Amino acid sequence: MELTLNSSSSLIKRKDAKNSRNQESSSNNMTFAKMRPPTYQFQAKNSVKEMKFTHEKTYSPENETTERWEKLHVLSYPHPKSDSSVPVFVMLPLDTVTMSGHLNKPRAMNASLMALKGAGVEGVMVDAWWGLVEKDGPMKYNWDGYAELIQMVQKNGLKLQVVMSFHQCGGNVGDSCSIPLPPWVLKEVSKNPDLVYTDKSGRRNPEYISLGCDSVPVLRGRTPIQVYSDFMRSFRERFDNHIGGVIAEIQVGMGPCGELRYPSYPESNGTWRFPGIGEFQCYDKYMKSSLQAYAESIGKTNWGTSGPHDAGEYKNLPEETEFFRRDGTWNSEYGKFFMEWYSGKLLEHGDQLLSSAKGIFQGSGAKLSGKVAGIHWHYNTRSHAAELTAGYYNTRNHDGYLPIAKMFNKHGVVLNFTCMEMKDGEQPEHANCSPEGLVKQVQNATRQAGTDLAGENALERYDSSAFGQVVATNRSDSGNGLTAFTYLRMNKRLFEGQNWQQLVEFVKNMKEGGHGRRLSEEDTTGSDLYVGFVKGRIAENVEEAALV
């Protein structure tokens, strides 16, 4: 595929930049020029794995969408294999929509979207925060800021991935702002602290409602699953005309950081530090009641009174504990019993949420996805301790990712996996890491289950080594290729000259299935795709196309 950076989508007038600097002194700001809405034309493809439309959208001067034909079947972007095109998305800042419900720095956002479109990016990802949208009370939803964003993304000819974010923002790697759960939910938590995850020392974690009470009407007469479902249904009703069009994907948040896992390694207040094993989160009364019932069901009542007593603390290494050491309790009859229950509860939570999302968004034309964490530290040990405390029953003797992949496939949901950019050789030896081994295992699990696999980078990276690792992973014959990749994250550094050049090259490589060449230093083909051209444009636009 050809990638063209043209002036209509990447140049921003200097006088606008000057005006912006007079109005906003922060280095976070950008300006942008007024744009005409792009025109879209969709053609039906032969393969069922590609887009199929008998649908067209036009834009009135009032920016209202008019449906011309009936939408029959849509896959918002193709399902590529390892040797075909992979669309690249870019995550937007966590505070893209403000707590007051408005689009944050709209002029700056528009400039960024223009630049990303010029780089050949497929679209962007945004978190739809539960604590922001439903903050004014139960079933009182404010989607206005997201409506502004959707309109802007659409005008710039991009696609949008929207994350149903039912978790708190703040306290984890990369969190740059604080968005707690809705105030009315936190009020219920203050009255009943067991609504949130609890460790063996009694510390409560307000990042996410405990899955132990998924089916209990603890939120003013509704269960958490009902609350999440009502939230997603409200989104569907508000943006039905855009879902399957500009809104290409709905990602269903299923835990802390939007990932299907327990909050076993919280960074806030120094509770956990890499490469600590983390702690089991099964000590709220709902989880303890479930554990007791499970133990009684198999005739082991005494095993249901508590979680493991010998599993250590957050910052421990595996060999410092009886449970996770080489031949520890994890491999005993009790250890297997506990992990089957603990991981089974997590799978049940994901199954319920994805089943609900499937019912709500079925027929909309948007893809559904869910995220699984790339917990790569202690992967080279027998117990895989850090994965176990997070709820992934993955050990030397037990595959923890195939059941997850099968559950995703049951609902036709894409499995989005992190740490795609990491290499084993970059990790500290004492942490026994193997991100490459972990990614290969997940690739194999999704291929075996027939589940589509998408990817993200876990940490903020701009170097060719990280980008090259993603390309190599996609091209690997050891498992699934990627259906899409979402880059973390849009900020000021991304638009700096060398970083931007790396991104442009990466997007081109992914579009070409990892078989692309590096950008040349000179333009010999008239394609406007060479280093000098990119550098020139960045020199003109870096101040305008930058967010922190």
Side-chain angles (χ1 to χ4, degrees):
M1 290 188 180
E2 182 179 341
L3 171 64
T4 303
L5 300 177
N6 54 55
S7 59
S8 64
S9 61
S10 61
L11 282 178
I12 304 161
K13 296 182 180 178
R14 282 191 168 279
K15 65 179 182 180
D16 287 341
K18 183 177 179 181
N19 292 339
S20 176
R21 287 192 293 272
N22 290 338
Q23 294 170 5
E24 302 175 83
S25 58
S26 171
S27 63
N28 299 355
N29 302 328
M30 300 181 296
T31 70
F32 30 117
K34 191 173 181 181
M35 294 185 63
R36 294 177 59 192
T39 6
Y40 300 94
Q41 184 175 8
F42 299 95
Q43 293 182 330
K45 305 290 184 182
N46 292 330
S47 169
V48 295
K49 294 288 188 179
E50 296 181 319
M51 288 189 281
K52 291 186 178 181
F53 278 85
T54 55
H55 172 79
E56 181 180 329
K57 291 185 178 180
T58 58
Y59 304 94
S60 68
E62 294 77 28
N63 298 315
E64 295 178 352
T65 303
T66 305
E67 303 287 343
R68 286 192 174 179
W69 296 333
E70 181 182 1
K71 179 167 51 178
L72 296 181
H73 174 72
V74 180
L75 287 177
S76 301
Y77 39 85
H79 291 231
K81 297 303 180 185
S82 60
D83 59 349
S84 59
S85 178
V86 179
V88 175
F89 291 76
V90 174
M91 292 185 202
L92 295 181
L94 294 167
D95 60 352
T96 290
V97 175
T98 67
M99 287 302 291
S100 62
H102 298 291
L103 186 59
N104 195 10
K105 300 186 181 73
R107 296 188 62 184
M109 179 60 67
N110 194 57
S112 297
L113 297 180
M114 290 170 68
L116 292 175
K117 176 64 176 178
V121 167
E122 180 80 6
V124 292
M125 173 182 276
V126 68
D127 290 277
W129 296 106
W130 181 29
L132 192 157
V133 174
E134 201 177 352
K135 70 181 178 66
D136 293 331
M139 304 188 78
K140 295 180 180 178
Y141 306 105
N142 179 4
W143 295 106
D144 291 351
Y146 294 96
E148 292 179 61
L149 177 67
I150 289 167
Q151 186 178 83
M152 188 178 290
V153 169
Q154 191 173 46
K155 284 181 177 181
N156 281 285
L158 295 167
K159 297 292 186 182
L160 186 63
Q161 298 169 318
V162 183
V163 185
M164 302 287 104
S165 295
F166 301 117
H167 61 286
Q168 164 190 291
C169 177
N172 283 293
V173 177
D175 286 351
S176 56
C177 64
S178 177
I179 304 174
L181 301 187
W184 64 273
V185 172
L186 293 178
K187 187 174 182 180
E188 297 303 310
V189 172
S190 68
K191 293 186 289 186
N192 181 8
D194 284 290
L195 292 182
V196 296
Y197 286 114
T198 308
D199 65 21
K200 67 178 183 292
S201 300
R203 281 172 289 200
R204 310 287 188 177
N205 189 323
E207 288 185 65
Y208 191 79
I209 298 295
S210 169
L211 60 81
C213 58
D214 271 352
S215 302
V216 186
V218 292
L219 296 177
R220 300 196 184 180
R222 292 185 293 164
T223 69
I225 296 294
Q226 287 174 331
V227 172
Y228 304 147
S229 300
D230 288 338
F231 182 93
M232 291 189 287
R233 195 172 293 109
S234 171
F235 180 82
R236 168 79 194 255
E237 291 169 355
R238 175 67 186 268
F239 300 114
D240 192 45
N241 288 340
H242 301 284
I243 298 174
V246 60
I247 301 174
E249 180 180 321
I250 309 294
Q251 186 172 114
V252 184
M254 294 180 280
C257 296
E259 298 165 335
L260 179 65
R261 66 172 176 86
Y262 294 98
S264 56
Y265 50 100
E267 283 201 302
S268 59
N269 302 319
T271 303
W272 170 86
R273 183 176 65 244
F274 178 85
I277 58 177
E279 289 191 20
F280 293 115
Q281 305 292 308
C282 58
Y283 294 89
D284 64 79
K285 68 181 182 182
Y286 302 101
M287 290 292 283
K288 289 196 292 186
S289 175
S290 173
L291 177 59
Q292 186 68 60
Y294 184 71
E296 291 174 358
S297 73
I298 63 168
K300 299 284 188 179
T301 303
N302 60 318
W303 284 358
T305 57
S306 178
H309 67 278
D310 57 353
E313 298 180 349
Y314 289 104
K315 298 176 184 178
N316 283 152
L317 299 179
E319 292 302 317
E320 296 171 345
T321 76
E322 290 296 314
F323 192 91
F324 296 113
R325 63 181 173 81
R326 182 181 176 88
D327 296 309
T329 313
W330 64 272
N331 203 31
S332 68
E333 186 182 358
Y334 167 77
K336 294 172 184 176
F337 150 82
F338 177 79
M339 285 312 307
E340 285 171 359
W341 168 78
Y342 190 67
S343 65
K345 290 292 289 182
L346 188 66
L347 278 169
E348 182 183 342
H349 175 67
D351 186 57
Q352 288 187 70
L353 255 176
L354 293 182
S355 176
S356 175
K358 179 181 177 181
I360 291 167
F361 294 108
Q362 197 161 24
S364 68
K367 284 194 174 199
L368 282 180
S369 68
K371 187 156 70 168
V372 175
I375 301 176
H376 56 85
W377 52 105
H378 306 303
Y379 183 85
N380 281 334
T381 65
R382 289 189 175 191
S383 67
H384 293 236
E387 292 164 86
L388 296 191
T389 57
Y392 304 150
Y393 188 8
N394 193 53
T395 69
R396 184 73 57 88
N397 312 319
H398 191 277
D399 187 341
Y401 298 101
L402 184 57
I404 296 174
K406 287 181 176 179
M407 186 268 287
F408 274 57
N409 184 61
K410 170 185 172 182
H411 301 292
V413 174
V414 178
L415 193 157
N416 188 11
F417 197 69
T418 61
C419 78
M420 291 279 176
E421 85 285 10
M422 293 184 174
K423 294 181 179 180
D424 290 359
E426 299 170 342
Q427 313 305 320
E429 187 174 342
H430 73 285
N432 287 298
C433 298
S434 182
E436 293 180 62
L438 175 59
V439 168
K440 286 179 181 177
Q441 183 181 353
V442 171
Q443 283 185 290
N444 285 324
T446 52
R447 181 170 62 178
Q448 187 175 337
T451 306
D452 284 336
L453 176 67
E456 294 180 4
N457 50 309
L459 301 176
E460 193 176 297
R461 295 279 294 271
Y462 306 95
D463 56 288
S464 59
S465 175
F467 285 129
Q469 181 63 20
V470 176
V471 173
T473 297
N474 179 58
R475 291 181 60 186
S476 171
D477 293 329
S478 64
N480 263 2
L482 303 180
T483 63
F485 183 83
T486 304
Y487 174 78
L488 179 156
R489 163 180 324 268
M490 188 178 87
N491 56 27
K492 182 177 181 178
R493 288 191 65 193
L494 178 62
F495 295 98
E496 293 174 358
Q498 184 64 27
N499 296 343
W500 183 255
Q501 179 186 329
Q502 297 284 6
L503 178 72
V504 172
E505 292 179 0
F506 170 68
V507 170
K508 183 174 186 290
N509 263 327
M510 294 297 277
K511 281 192 171 187
E512 296 179 353
H515 300 284
R517 56 182 172 77
R518 289 184 61 84
L519 297 182
S520 63
E521 289 293 332
E522 297 181 3
D523 183 14
T524 58
T525 64
S527 65
D528 280 347
L529 185 59
Y530 65 103
V531 172
F533 178 85
V534 174
K535 287 180 178 177
R537 288 292 157 88
I538 290 300
E540 297 176 11
N541 295 316
V542 66
E543 292 186 35
E544 292 84 1
L547 279 175
V548 172

